[in-house]
């Protein structure tokens, strides 16, 4: 209760610091962080084993191949071909970090996502990677080619950073910081200010309180003497 009353007396500073955190996070997000765009293409990894009819074995094979495709599509040879075909200025490691390949649960679909600061580049990489899956992997694995279920389009809205999330986080961190500072100052302050403080320290309620008195006339005389 005492701590809350103490913080209540500092509410102007607390609110000011909170607003500074919110505004600072918003400005920093807009001016200092480069927006990233995500382009997505999808692959269907089931194809008919004979007479254009998909049977149960084909479906089971598709489920197994999803995990294989996830790893093989990010191998060094494929990444090098993508870098060469598109004239990218990336290393294989940098390109791999931009690519995410995730099987869609309970399906034979693979989502190929590419994150880049350039939306057009993200689209081109995603579509080129899907094309490599169709042409390169069947030769490597000796199986039927997957189908491209959906080609990537140029994203128009950045997927990161999230301005709302960063603003909220900035305000919360600023609020936690200032409240933490005031809390530490309150807990470390062991000066006696009230009769209740005396009772807490020695366990006895004081009978009376003598206020500090300062003679104004003597104070004025002291000032004249200094002059």
């Amino acid at each position: 209760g005492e701590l809350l009353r103490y913080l209540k007396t500092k509410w102007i500073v607390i609110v000011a610091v909170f607003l500074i955190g919110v505004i600072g996070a918003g400005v920093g997000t807009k001016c200092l962080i480069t927006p990233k765009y995500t382009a997505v293409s999808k692959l269907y990894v089931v194809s008919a084993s004979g007479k254009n009819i998909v049977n149960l074995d084909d479906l089971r094979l598709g489920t197994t191949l999803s995990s294989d495709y996830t790893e093989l599509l990010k191998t060094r040879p494929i990444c090098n071909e993508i870098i060469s075909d598109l004239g990218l200025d990336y290393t294989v490691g940098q390109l791999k970090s931009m690519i995410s390949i995730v099987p869609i649960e309970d399906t034979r679909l693979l989502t190929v996502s590419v994150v880049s600061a350039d939306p057009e580049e993200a689209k081109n990489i995603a579509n080129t990677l899907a094309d490599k899956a169709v042409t390169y992997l069947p030769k490597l694995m000796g199986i039927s080619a997957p189908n491209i279920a959906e080609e990537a389009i140029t994203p128009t809205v950045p997927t990161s950073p999230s301005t709302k999330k960063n603003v909220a986080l900035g305000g919360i961190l600023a609020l936690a910081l200032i409240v933490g500072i005031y809390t530490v100052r309150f807990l470390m302050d062991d000066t006696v200010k009230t009769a209740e403080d005396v009772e807490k320290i020695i366990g006895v309620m004081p009978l009376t309180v003598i206020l500090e008195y300062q003679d104004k006339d003597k104070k004025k005389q002291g000032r004249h003497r200094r002059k």
Side-chain angles (χ1 to χ4, degrees):
E2 292 179 6
L3 175 60
L4 292 177
R5 286 192 293 271
Y6 173 74
L7 293 176
K8 188 177 180 180
T9 63
K10 308 293 184 181
W11 72 270
I12 295 179
V13 177
I14 293 175
V15 171
V17 172
F18 172 77
L19 293 177
I20 290 173
V22 168
I23 296 172
V27 173
T29 300
K30 291 293 186 181
C31 300
L32 302 179
I33 302 178
T34 303
K36 297 294 182 69
Y37 297 84
T38 302
V40 179
S41 61
K42 293 180 180 180
L43 294 172
Y44 187 57
V45 297
V46 176
S47 57
S49 57
K51 297 182 181 180
N52 296 325
I53 299 175
V54 177
N55 57 38
L56 184 60
D57 291 334
D58 293 324
L59 295 175
R60 290 173 179 171
L61 179 61
T63 303
T64 304
L65 290 178
S66 295
S67 300
D68 295 340
Y69 276 35
T70 300
E71 296 300 323
L72 290 174
L73 284 174
K74 297 176 70 174
T75 55
R76 183 177 297 275
I78 290 182
C79 289
N80 280 328
E81 286 190 16
I82 294 174
I83 292 172
S84 177
D85 292 348
L86 298 178
L88 302 176
D89 189 21
Y90 297 125
T91 64
V92 171
Q94 289 173 332
L95 183 60
K96 285 183 179 180
S97 66
M98 299 166 60
I99 300 172
S100 175
I101 303 172
V102 180
I104 300 178
E105 189 176 1
D106 297 328
T107 69
R108 264 65 60 184
L109 288 170
L110 284 179
T111 299
V112 179
S113 303
V114 179
V115 179
S116 175
D118 184 348
E120 191 69 22
E121 180 183 79
K123 181 200 73 171
N124 292 336
I125 295 175
N127 286 333
T128 303
L129 187 58
D131 292 337
K132 295 298 179 185
V134 174
T135 59
Y136 182 86
L137 293 184
K139 299 177 183 178
L140 177 66
M141 303 175 69
I143 57 175
S144 300
N147 300 311
I148 298 177
E150 180 179 309
E151 291 187 348
I153 60 175
T154 304
T156 57
V157 179
T159 52
S160 67
S162 173
T163 302
K164 292 182 179 179
K165 180 180 178 181
N166 288 352
V167 165
L169 185 60
I172 292 172
L173 290 177
L175 186 63
L177 177 63
I178 188 62
V179 170
I181 292 174
Y182 278 135
T183 300
V184 171
R185 289 182 59 183
F186 175 80
L187 295 176
M188 294 183 65
D189 186 5
D190 58 356
T191 57
V192 178
K193 299 182 181 65
T194 63
E196 288 77 11
D197 294 337
V198 176
E199 184 180 10
K200 289 179 182 178
I201 296 173
I202 65 176
V204 177
M205 185 67 180
L207 298 177
T208 186
V209 176
I210 301 176
L211 300 177
E212 182 179 0
Y213 173 76
Q214 191 172 27
D215 193 334
K216 295 182 179 179
D217 294 334
K218 289 184 179 181
K219 189 174 182 181
K220 291 179 180 179
Q221 291 177 3
R223 290 178 179 174
H224 289 308
R225 286 176 184 174
R226 291 191 193 98
K227 291 180 181 180

